[in-house]
Every structure is written in structure tokens, then in C-alpha cells.
Amino acid sequence: MVEPEKQRARYVAGTEGAPPLPPPGGYHGARRAQAPSTSDSASYGGPYGAPTAPIIGSATAPADKQPANAIGWSALVVAILFALTLLGTLLAGFTDTLYGVTLLTLQLVVIGVVIAALVTPRGRALGASALVITLLLNVATVGAMSALQTSASGNYQGEKAAEQKHEEAYPGIKDVPPSTILSQMSLEQVRALSDEALAEIRARLSDEFGYTWTEVAEEDLRPERNGYGGESMLVQYISVPWMTNEPIQDYNRKRQVMGIIEEVLYDYDMYSLYSFNDPSSGLDDTILEKFYGSTDPRTQNTWEWYTDNYPDPMRFYAVMYDLSNDRTGEFLGEREAQSARTGEPLEGLQIYFLAPELLNEADQEEFQTRLEEYPGL
């Protein structure tokens, strides 16, 4: 039988200060510790002797939330009312009023109240809301929206005097005598004459060279401004543009084509054709290269010729596009983009008429009646 001293030494030796492991089966006579009763835990601090008193952190319990003060509510109400005022001015179309001294001064007052609310603890929450409203709807942002709306709609009536509004309705054009407008060719006359001349040019060139034609676009009528901020009763007329389906690349052929066009236009009392792309036009070499690809008509990718029947309003344009003189491929890209928009051929001859400041025959009586309201213009 092992002596007690040796047994104790066996369990203790070599532990180097750590508590010895219990023998297999546990210590003789040992029993499990029972959880103390509620009264014991309260007395002795829990099952392991640790105190079970509630843990209290260093932070104190939050105080009751304080209601916002008067300045916070004032900032919010003022910001909302000012925003509504700006929106009302915007809807009324008074762009100039938005940048007036009154609204700018009110804007500064609103900013001051908002700042005062932000620096007070009880008004900070409502002040932040007022700040958001002020940033979204202020003189600058609403004024910009009003300017865009006015520009898009063309409504500039807000601050104009009655005299300005009266001038805007002038049926004629500033510095153009009404007698000149009434005595010149009407829209119907120009349309009929241009259609006839274009048809004859197409027929002559088709008979001579076998060209076929494509209608590039429809007739275009654009209102003419009257010089007083409004629109007159006159229009700018652009005829249906026609273009050959075949390219014209030979220099001598180009000259022959322009010669036939000139012969036809002589019969319509128009002057000789004038070449914008020729160096004799007086245009600078840099301009010729930019618009026509070269200073030499033999190597230019574009020819542009023009004539008119002054003092009558008809103006004729003949434009040739020649991709064989495209040295960089940039001109091809331009023509492809244009063809994608209009469906026109990439190269060839295009012809059309343009005439500004034309009065429709059906509007002549009304034109004269309205002119009676403007004896001084």
C-alpha cells in the first residue's frame, strides 16, 4: 500500500506551480458543489464567490428629449413659406422678379434664421430640415429653372411694357419698308418659279448625261423674326432639294454641268453662277481648305456655286460632293452621317432654292390691316 506522503508527492511533483490534476475518479469523499439558494447568492455573491450586484456603466441614463424651441419652428416655417413664394413666382413666369432686391433680401433673412436654429441644441433638428429646403429651393436654383422655362416657351411677357409687347406683334420686319414686302414676289410665286426651274435643270442634265434624281427633303418654311423680339407674318422658303444618284468626279464634267445650270437660270432672269470654292472668290486659303478640302478646284471634295435674281428674293445653290478627292477619310465620315439623317446619296450634285422674307398671298390683306397699328414703324 502506497504511503500517503509518497502519494501526495506524486501528485505535486513536476507541476511547476500549476494546481495538480485530480486522480482518476476524483478525490475520495468529494461531492459536487450545490448552487446556493437565492438568499445565499445574495449573501455571498454567486456560486463562485463573485459579487452579483448589477453592473452599472459609466454612462448616465439619457435625459428626457427636449422639445424644439421657437427658433427651430420659425426656421422651418420661414423656409417653407419662402420656397412656396419662389415656386409661385416660377409658375407665374416672372423670371426677372426672382432676381429682384426684395427676394434676394428675403433669401438672406431665411439663411440667417436657419443658421440661428442650427446653432441652438433644441432647434438643430428643425434647422437641418429648413436647411435642406433652402438648398433645394432658393433664388439661384428656382431662378435658373425659370430662365430655362422662359427660354423654352418663348414667354418673356413678365416685365415687358405695353409698348414692347405691341412692337413684338409687328407683322413686318424692322427697317424693311412694307411697300417692298408687298411689291416683291409672294411665297406662291417663288414656289412655282423654283419648282419649274429645278424641274428644267433636272431634265436638261438627265438628257445630257443620263443622271437620275433623289428628292432629299421636303419643302421648308421658317418664320422670320420681326426685329422687335417677335415673329413677323413673313417666312423663309427653302425648296425641295434634289440630288443626283450618280457621282460627278471629273473636273471637266463638273464645269459642263455648271454651264448647263447657268443656261437654264438665265431664262429665269438670274445672274451668272458665282463659285464660293474658287480661289477667285477672295476667301482665305485656310477657309477654302476647311470648307472645300483644298484650294485647288481640281482636288476639292466640295464645290459650292450660287446665284440670285436681286432685287427679287430668289437665291439658287448648286453643291457638288466628290469622295474621290477625300484624302483623309474625314469627309466620307461627314457624308455618311448626313446620309444617315436625310437618306441622300453620299456624293453627287445637289440643287435647291432659298428665298427669305416672303408673304403669303392669303395674308396680304391682314398684313396691311395690322400695319395700320404701327404708323411710326
Side-chain angles (χ1 to χ4, degrees):
M1 185 172 180
V2 182
E3 297 179 2
E5 293 296 332
K6 290 182 178 181
Q7 186 180 28
R8 187 164 48 247
R10 188 179 69 181
Y11 292 140
V12 176
T15 60
E16 298 178 355
L21 295 174
Y27 294 106
H28 179 71
R31 62 186 180 88
R32 296 183 180 276
Q34 300 296 322
S37 63
T38 305
S39 58
D40 293 338
S41 298
S43 303
Y44 297 103
Y48 302 104
T52 58
I55 300 174
I56 301 177
S58 59
T60 59
D64 293 338
K65 186 175 181 180
Q66 298 294 321
N69 58 8
I71 194 170
W73 284 107
S74 299
L76 183 61
V77 172
V78 168
I80 292 174
L81 291 177
F82 187 69
L84 293 175
T85 301
L86 292 177
L87 290 176
T89 307
L90 169 65
L91 296 176
F94 297 142
T95 304
D96 295 336
T97 304
L98 289 169
Y99 296 103
V101 177
T102 302
L103 286 182
L104 289 174
T105 303
L106 289 175
Q107 178 76 81
L108 295 176
V109 172
V110 171
I111 294 174
V113 175
V114 171
I115 293 175
L118 289 173
V119 299
T120 58
R122 292 174 55 190
R124 191 165 295 146
L126 294 179
S129 300
L131 179 62
V132 171
I133 296 174
T134 304
L135 292 176
L136 292 176
L137 298 171
N138 53 66
V139 169
T141 56
V142 177
M145 289 189 292
S146 179
L148 290 174
Q149 180 191 50
T150 301
S151 176
S153 63
N155 179 20
Y156 299 93
Q157 305 297 324
E159 296 296 319
K160 292 181 178 178
E163 182 179 356
Q164 290 177 295
K165 296 177 183 178
H166 181 65
E167 289 180 347
E168 285 181 354
Y170 181 64
I173 295 178
K174 185 178 181 180
D175 299 328
V176 177
S179 58
T180 300
I181 296 173
L182 292 169
S183 63
Q184 71 178 7
M185 300 173 67
S186 67
L187 170 62
E188 289 79 6
Q189 290 174 323
V190 169
R191 179 187 288 125
L193 197 60
S194 63
D195 287 347
E196 182 182 337
L198 290 173
E200 186 171 346
I201 291 172
R202 297 198 309 274
R204 286 281 304 273
L205 292 176
S206 295
D207 292 342
E208 187 72 23
F209 304 111
Y211 294 145
T212 59
W213 299 85
T214 293
E215 185 177 323
V216 174
E218 298 179 351
E219 172 188 289
D220 188 12
L221 297 177
R222 303 178 183 180
E224 293 277 18
R225 307 296 292 180
N226 62 10
Y228 295 102
E231 290 183 357
S232 69
M233 295 182 63
L234 281 64
V235 296
Q236 180 190 80
Y237 166 79
I238 302 177
S239 71
V240 172
W242 292 87
M243 189 168 178
T244 61
N245 296 309
E246 299 77 18
I248 305 174
Q249 298 177 343
D250 181 73
Y251 175 77
N252 292 326
R253 172 64 64 84
K254 292 177 182 178
R255 300 288 303 186
Q256 291 174 342
V257 167
M258 292 301 185
I260 292 175
I261 293 174
E262 193 170 58
E263 289 177 4
V264 173
L265 294 178
Y266 281 154
D267 295 336
Y268 291 88
D269 297 325
M270 303 193 77
Y271 296 100
S272 299
L273 286 171
Y274 174 83
S275 174
F276 288 119
N277 57 283
D278 194 273
S280 62
S281 65
L283 295 176
D284 188 81
D285 288 351
T286 56
I287 297 178
L288 291 175
E289 291 181 358
K290 179 179 180 180
F291 288 100
Y292 307 114
S294 169
T295 58
D296 183 0
R298 295 179 179 273
T299 59
Q300 289 172 336
N301 55 42
T302 304
W303 278 22
E304 186 177 14
W305 291 42
Y306 162 88
T307 188
D308 57 45
N309 63 346
Y310 182 84
D312 286 320
M314 295 183 64
R315 303 171 185 177
F316 173 82
Y317 292 87
V319 185
M320 285 185 183
Y321 302 107
D322 182 0
L323 292 177
S324 67
N325 288 329
D326 180 21
R327 294 170 293 180
T328 64
E330 181 179 353
F331 183 62
L332 172 61
E334 295 176 2
R335 293 301 303 154
E336 287 176 338
Q338 179 67 17
S339 178
R341 289 193 296 268
T342 64
E344 65 188 65
L346 292 177
E347 55 182 334
L349 167 68
Q350 185 175 128
I351 53 175
Y352 64 95
F353 279 93
L354 182 150
E357 302 176 0
L358 299 179
L359 183 63
N360 194 313
E361 291 178 357
D363 294 334
Q364 289 184 358
E365 183 176 351
E366 180 186 354
F367 179 77
Q368 292 175 298
T369 301
R370 289 178 57 182
L371 282 175
E372 295 175 359
E373 303 175 16
Y374 302 88
L377 295 181

